[in-house]
Amino acid sequence: METITWQNFEQVELRTGTILEVLDFPEARRPAYKVRVDFGEFGIKWSSAQITKHYTKDTLIGRQILGVINFPKKQIGKFMSEFLVTGFADENGDIVLAAVDKAVPNGSKLI
């Protein structure tokens, strides 16, 4: 593991957002959803998330998550992902979302 400086960490815009909409993403190579997330002052952004094993579309709406919003946009088929949804792989490699314990304003930065 490489050590980074505090300044390196501060460059990552890891922000909270609330999931507004979840759509199926049948064109994805691995099972995924398209999620639309409100990041407050940073706007509403779309991403693809391979989180179909642990979450249904209904359980995701209104959930607050953590996303990296300053990576370049990424083309996934015909879909443009605007941020990175964060999570952890479980023992089977399925993603469990990184989330906040209590509600905070959308757009809050991880510090």
Side-chain angles (χ1 to χ4, degrees):
M1 175 174 53
E2 183 180 335
T3 302
I4 64 170
T5 66
W6 182 256
Q7 185 178 20
N8 294 138
F9 175 71
E10 286 182 317
Q11 292 176 352
V12 179
E13 291 293 330
L14 192 50
R15 303 278 180 165
T16 58
T18 300
I19 297 175
L20 302 174
E21 184 177 3
V22 182
L23 303 174
D24 290 324
F25 191 7
E27 306 85 10
R29 284 188 211 145
R30 289 190 256 168
Y33 294 128
K34 295 177 186 177
V35 293
R36 187 169 65 106
V37 177
D38 180 357
F39 285 102
E41 66 180 284
F42 301 98
I44 295 173
K45 300 179 182 293
W46 283 93
S47 187
S48 169
Q50 296 172 359
I51 54 175
T52 60
K53 293 288 184 183
H54 291 294
Y55 307 95
T56 65
K57 292 185 287 186
D58 290 339
T59 62
L60 290 167
I61 302 295
R63 184 182 192 105
Q64 204 165 39
I65 63 168
L66 296 170
V68 178
I69 63 170
N70 66 329
F71 281 151
K73 293 178 182 178
K74 183 176 181 180
Q75 187 81 41
I76 303 171
K78 295 180 180 180
F79 177 73
M80 184 63 74
S81 181
E82 301 175 296
F83 73 96
L84 174 70
V85 175
T86 61
F88 301 92
D90 69 9
E91 64 277 357
N92 298 314
D94 298 319
I95 302 303
V96 175
L97 287 169
V100 295
D101 185 28
K102 297 192 187 312
V104 295
N106 287 335
S108 294
K109 186 172 182 176
L110 179 71
I111 53 173

